[in-house]
Amino acid sequence: MSSTELFYKEYPCSYNAPLDCENIIETLQEVKGAKFCFECGFPALLPEETEIKGYRGSYQITRFLGLRGFGRLYSGIQLKDKQPVIIKEYLLPSRTFNQDETFQRKETFKRIGGIDLADGRVQNFRLIQTWEAIGPEKGERCYLITKDIQPSQTLRQYLKQNGAMTPSQVREFLSEVLQTLEFMHTQKLRFPSNHVQRGLEHGNINLDSVLIKVENKERFVAYLCDIAVWENLFIPPSIPQPAAKTHMQDLESLGLVAFQLWVGQTQLDPKDHQAWPDNDNSLKQFLYRLLSLNTPYGSTEIARQELLRLPKPSEINNFQPSSDSQEQKKRFPKKYWLWLGVLAFLLLGGTIWYYFWQLSKLDEGQYLEWQGLVQNFSKVDNISSGKFIYTGEKIGTWSYILEQAPDTKIKLNEILTNPNPDAKATFIYESFESKDIAQVSQPIKEVQKVQKVPKDFAMTTLFDNITLDMNPKQVAYDGLLVFVAFSRNGFSLHKALDGKISLEELRDIYTGRIKDWSQINKNVPSLKIEPYVPTEPEAIQQFKKLVLKNNPQDIALFEEIAKTRTQNTGTTQTQISTANNNGQTTGIISFGIFSKTWNQCSAYPLAIVNNNDQKIQPLLDPTTKRPLEPSDDFCDRPDFDTRRFQPNGTANYPLGYPLYVVYPKDNTRQSGGSTFANMLLTRQGQCLLTKSGLVPLQPVPNDIRNYACKSVP
């Protein structure tokens, strides 16, 4: 959405634009200090000399500049040092936003209004840097303060004043903005709340959110502003909220802006081949890919490198076919086309045959992969003797896995403490709690510390927290399983949902946008959704990454729900079981790690519909590879064993992720982490992890699953 024409319909503005109509300006001219438009009651402009108090200082309005995006712009000064600032005013008018909506948006705005490099460096990547996001407790306004005051002209204003850009100018523009996007997409960034994440989509690239500073007729500098995570907070709730954009969609938006600059107007459709200029064919082909009208670029970095390799217009012949080549095409004999068709048919048939032959050999291939592993702990070479201390999250996957008894009554922790008695190596586990796992993993930090009794390695599922001085080694897969009540009698929520839920629906539930199951599926009668959040910090962090896409706005809404809805997964399952036993229908939904959720029958694990509309069930029958279906009665006791369904291999499962052993790259320290990882990657180790609720890196053949892990062949 790039205009405010549909905003604030509750205010009867004669210009149909209450945010920027002439009556607002006239009201302020007639009555100094007027707070509302005399015609429609919409909040008036801020008068000159208005003071705004923030956390980092106080600011004073000097004059109104105009509208940009979803807010009004003013020039101003910071009162303490009289330095100039730009103040963007966002509005939450009372007829459009209720009190709860206003409060939530203000709180979120203060947490996410602005980004900086997480390591504190100050670098100019042509991204307008915010100084402060202010959300006063009272009133209908929020303010974004910036100190970058020079590039105040938008591309829309530039286009209106100067007309179309030349191909060389479009190339220069693309080069600068792609570099800025590459920075945004790849760097670790910090928000005002101190939340840190790797990469952020701009999500709002258009002619109004790109500023341009013209240095001469050919030279200019482009700056990005008005990032979607805070700009979209001020879209009225009556208007469908835009979904969080991907890196690819940022590129598509940039491609559209570049096309508009090249043709000099905004009405033409890039899908219309006649609309394109013919003075730079290589630039045209580049924009086709940027717009995904042809094979899209895989990343911003690839797109930028490809742009730099484009031949200059003077070096190419625009790739127009000559009259001779056209004539040769006409003379190409029809019989050759027939033979080409036969050849294509044979190739297609061979491909299909090969696919099914490979499918029939799948189990054999998996068995060979399994046989390629070292058999057991005693066969692992170069085991250093000594005592190794390792760590993990106190309430996390590995801490829970160690308490499981995979084969006998002996817990996994006891088995792994002294996995190979002959080697005289012991592994002692000490857990730590991360106070803010989004920023720092305390277990990894403990391994990095220089201390008398060092921690040799850590177990983690959070790849983004692994620093460059550490070696990560995958040993298994973990994942999140989303579940609702399983009911054998009466109404069955899991059947009404057809046993599935999409990532978008899950995101809407855990941000409070959807509150009743009937909003998701018409087969479900009105039933209040009761979303619960597990206690494991790793699981919550993975949910923020995989479901919420690290969107700060969605994370803020999610955390509001989590304040009152966080509890142990076992407690949630007991609630479901109690409701079932009492004949009650419950709308509970929750998520948890595989090892806590797969081997039970009170809750049904929903299949996840990914962004490509593929339905992927987290549990499979290990014998037939058949996914669990809503019609399956996996609570048919005592004849039915819930372990018949095993966690799905996570290569395609949208909520799956690896488990790592993480150890220092420092060669002067003993290689306890590398040794421990090598043990877990044996057949014995993979078998133990599988029976404890993790997914092995190498598929365990069906006829091996029933063996005791200590004697796997």
Side-chain angles (χ1 to χ4, degrees):
M1 179 179 297
S2 60
S3 76
T4 57
E5 291 179 2
L6 299 178
F7 283 24
Y8 319 123
K9 290 296 185 181
E10 300 81 2
Y11 293 84
C13 174
S14 58
Y15 289 88
N16 200 31
L19 192 63
D20 186 36
C21 79
E22 292 183 8
N23 287 333
I24 285 276
I25 299 174
E26 291 173 1
T27 296
L28 199 60
Q29 289 174 343
E30 291 177 11
V31 180
K32 187 176 181 180
K35 295 184 178 180
F36 302 99
C37 173
F38 289 161
E39 180 194 45
C40 68
F42 192 76
L45 295 174
L46 295 172
E48 294 179 7
E49 299 185 359
T50 298
E51 288 191 17
I52 300 168
K53 292 184 178 180
Y55 298 102
R56 305 183 71 174
S58 295
Y59 314 90
Q60 187 178 75
I61 299 289
T62 55
R63 68 187 179 95
F64 173 62
L65 298 176
L67 183 71
R68 191 184 75 209
F70 300 159
R72 299 164 173 164
L73 286 184
Y74 303 85
S75 62
I77 59 170
Q78 186 170 3
L79 290 174
K80 182 178 180 180
D81 54 14
K82 305 301 180 183
Q83 291 298 308
V85 295
I86 294 293
I87 301 169
K88 185 166 186 179
E89 172 201 29
Y90 294 102
L91 292 163
L92 298 164
S94 58
R95 296 184 198 172
T96 303
F97 297 85
N98 62 38
Q99 287 186 349
D100 287 341
E101 290 163 345
T102 298
F103 174 78
Q104 288 180 4
R105 281 164 169 75
K106 283 185 176 183
E107 290 301 303
T108 304
F109 180 65
K110 288 187 288 187
R111 287 197 291 265
I112 67 172
I115 54 172
D116 293 297
L117 281 167
D119 58 12
R121 287 177 295 146
V122 178
Q123 290 185 258
N124 179 17
F125 282 94
R126 295 179 296 279
L127 181 67
I128 297 296
Q129 296 294 303
T130 58
W131 174 248
E132 183 172 10
I134 303 171
E137 291 184 11
K138 298 180 180 180
E140 304 170 298
R141 308 172 196 250
C142 290
Y143 309 99
L144 195 71
I145 312 296
T146 64
K147 290 191 171 183
D148 298 313
I149 62 170
Q150 291 184 345
S152 57
Q153 186 181 35
T154 67
L155 283 181
R156 190 178 301 278
Q157 293 166 334
Y158 173 90
L159 199 61
K160 186 176 181 180
Q161 180 179 334
N162 299 280
M165 283 186 174
T166 65
S168 60
Q169 287 176 318
V170 175
R171 288 173 179 236
E172 179 65 23
F173 164 76
L174 285 168
S175 178
E176 291 193 356
V177 179
L178 281 171
Q179 188 177 28
T180 304
L181 283 180
E182 185 180 342
F183 159 75
M184 287 189 66
H185 290 174
T186 59
Q187 295 293 312
K188 274 195 171 183
L189 304 171
R190 185 187 304 277
F191 291 89
S193 63
N194 280 328
H195 168 74
V196 173
Q197 71 178 54
R198 187 186 296 277
L200 173 70
E201 295 79 7
H202 186 284
N204 186 40
I205 296 175
N206 55 61
L207 292 172
D208 296 308
S209 65
V210 184
L211 307 182
I212 186 169
K213 178 185 177 184
V214 180
E215 296 182 345
N216 55 53
K217 291 184 179 180
E218 288 294 324
R219 177 64 185 162
F220 56 83
V221 183
Y223 294 78
L224 294 184
C225 62
D226 300 340
I227 298 175
V229 289
W230 62 75
E231 189 82 1
N232 290 351
L233 283 172
F234 302 95
I235 297 175
S238 60
I239 297 174
Q241 304 297 295
K245 291 194 175 181
T246 62
H247 293 183
M248 197 71 68
Q249 289 171 315
D250 267 355
L251 293 180
E252 290 173 3
S253 298
L254 175 60
L256 178 59
V257 168
F259 169 76
Q260 292 169 336
L261 291 174
W262 195 8
V263 299
Q265 53 181 297
T266 59
Q267 292 80 19
L268 296 179
D269 184 355
K271 294 180 182 178
D272 179 5
H273 298 292
Q274 302 300 319
W276 288 82
D278 59 1
N279 54 349
D280 191 341
N281 203 56
S282 56
L283 175 61
K284 176 180 176 181
Q285 297 307 317
F286 175 81
L287 289 179
Y288 261 54
R289 293 187 65 183
L290 211 61
L291 285 158
S292 295
L293 298 177
N294 206 334
T295 307
Y297 295 108
S299 69
T300 310
E301 180 182 7
I302 294 173
R304 191 168 74 88
Q305 293 301 322
E306 196 66 27
L307 176 68
L308 296 175
R309 285 194 288 266
L310 286 185
K312 296 178 180 179
S314 59
E315 298 173 351
I316 58 176
N317 190 25
N318 283 336
F319 304 105
Q320 297 296 327
S322 67
S323 57
D324 289 342
S325 64
Q326 292 288 343
E327 185 65 28
Q328 288 174 1
K329 186 174 180 181
K330 290 179 182 178
R331 294 176 183 175
F332 196 74
K334 292 184 178 179
K335 64 180 181 179
Y336 288 113
W337 289 110
L338 179 63
W339 281 110
L340 284 174
V342 172
L343 180 61
F345 176 79
L346 291 174
L347 287 172
L348 177 62
T351 302
I352 294 173
W353 173 84
Y354 180 76
Y355 169 77
F356 283 105
W357 178 79
Q358 284 290 89
L359 195 61
S360 68
K361 302 291 287 182
L362 183 60
D363 286 341
E364 180 181 337
Q366 289 181 352
Y367 191 84
L368 290 174
E369 288 180 6
W370 175 259
Q371 288 297 106
L373 300 178
V374 175
Q375 183 178 354
N376 52 41
F377 297 152
S378 63
K379 302 288 186 181
V380 176
D381 295 329
N382 302 320
I383 299 178
S384 302
S385 61
K387 180 180 178 181
F388 300 97
I389 301 175
Y390 72 108
T391 77
E393 286 294 331
K394 188 172 184 179
I395 306 175
T397 293
W398 191 250
S399 292
Y400 183 79
I401 286 292
L402 287 179
E403 294 301 309
Q404 306 311 300
D407 261 335
T408 62
K409 293 182 179 180
I410 302 176
K411 293 181 179 180
L412 183 62
N413 191 29
E414 296 178 59
I415 298 172
L416 295 181
T417 297
N418 190 12
N420 182 2
D422 294 336
K424 297 181 180 179
T426 57
F427 297 89
I428 308 300
Y429 181 68
E430 293 182 8
S431 62
F432 289 88
E433 182 178 356
S434 298
K435 293 182 179 179
D436 188 351
I437 200 169
Q439 296 187 52
V440 178
S441 167
Q442 191 60 34
I444 293 177
K445 188 175 180 180
E446 290 294 324
V447 177
Q448 293 173 312
K449 280 183 180 179
V450 177
Q451 47 191 320
K452 290 183 179 179
V453 183
K455 307 300 182 289
D456 294 282
F457 59 94
M459 308 294 295
T460 186
T461 61
L462 301 178
F463 181 78
D464 289 345
N465 287 24
I466 300 173
T467 51
L468 295 176
D469 59 333
M470 308 294 281
N471 274 317
K473 196 164 187 178
Q474 293 185 28
V475 292
Y477 289 108
D478 195 7
L480 301 179
L481 190 149
V482 179
F483 59 88
V484 295
F486 173 81
S487 176
R488 301 174 64 186
N489 302 308
F491 172 76
S492 299
L493 178 58
H494 73 285
K495 289 184 179 179
L497 296 173
D498 193 27
K500 65 183 180 180
I501 193 167
S502 71
L503 288 173
E504 184 178 355
E505 289 165 345
L506 202 55
R507 187 159 51 244
D508 286 344
I509 286 173
Y510 277 93
T511 54
R513 297 186 180 102
I514 292 179
K515 298 183 179 180
D516 195 284
W517 284 111
S518 61
Q519 294 175 260
I520 289 180
N521 194 308
K522 294 180 181 179
N523 296 325
V524 184
S526 182
L527 178 64
K528 182 182 177 182
I529 297 176
E530 299 178 62
Y532 281 93
V533 177
T535 53
E536 293 85 4
E538 282 178 306
I540 294 171
Q541 196 62 19
Q542 292 290 1
F543 188 87
K544 291 177 180 179
K545 177 181 178 180
L546 300 172
V547 177
L548 304 181
K549 305 301 182 184
N550 281 333
N551 182 306
Q553 180 180 346
D554 287 346
I555 287 174
L557 295 171
F558 168 81
E559 288 175 344
E560 286 298 314
I561 292 175
K563 286 179 182 179
T564 57
R565 291 280 187 171
T566 298
Q567 65 181 19
N568 185 278
T569 299
T571 303
T572 305
Q573 291 169 350
T574 300
Q575 273 185 249
I576 292 174
S577 181
T578 301
N580 285 339
N581 293 337
N582 294 335
Q584 299 172 337
T585 299
T586 177
I588 288 176
I589 183 173
S590 188
F591 62 93
I593 57 176
F594 274 161
S595 50
K596 276 194 173 185
T597 50
W598 71 287
N599 188 26
Q600 51 78 43
C601 70
S602 63
Y604 182 88
L606 294 174
I608 303 298
V609 180
N610 63 18
N611 293 327
N612 296 321
D613 292 327
Q614 294 176 306
K615 172 184 170 182
I616 304 176
Q617 166 58 234
L619 296 187
L620 302 177
D621 185 313
T623 303
T624 65
K625 301 296 187 290
R626 179 181 68 82
L628 175 70
E629 293 291 342
S631 57
D632 288 324
D633 189 351
F634 68 112
C635 278
D636 188 11
R637 306 276 190 172
D639 299 325
F640 195 92
D641 178 11
T642 60
R643 287 182 184 268
R644 191 186 75 163
F645 287 97
Q646 301 284 341
N648 191 355
T650 58
N652 295 317
Y653 181 56
L655 302 184
Y657 44 85
L659 171 69
Y660 298 91
V661 176
V662 181
Y663 53 93
K665 290 181 179 178
D666 185 354
N667 293 328
T668 63
R669 296 177 62 173
Q670 284 187 297
S671 57
S674 178
T675 298
F676 194 75
N678 290 337
M679 287 185 170
L680 294 182
L681 291 172
T682 63
R683 285 179 241 161
Q684 182 181 2
Q686 293 288 282
C687 183
L688 287 167
L689 296 182
T690 300
K691 291 193 172 185
S692 298
L694 295 174
V695 178
L697 291 186
Q698 300 288 350
V700 180
N702 296 334
D703 59 340
I704 302 295
R705 289 179 181 271
N706 293 326
Y707 277 79
C709 290
K710 63 183 178 182
S711 60
V712 287

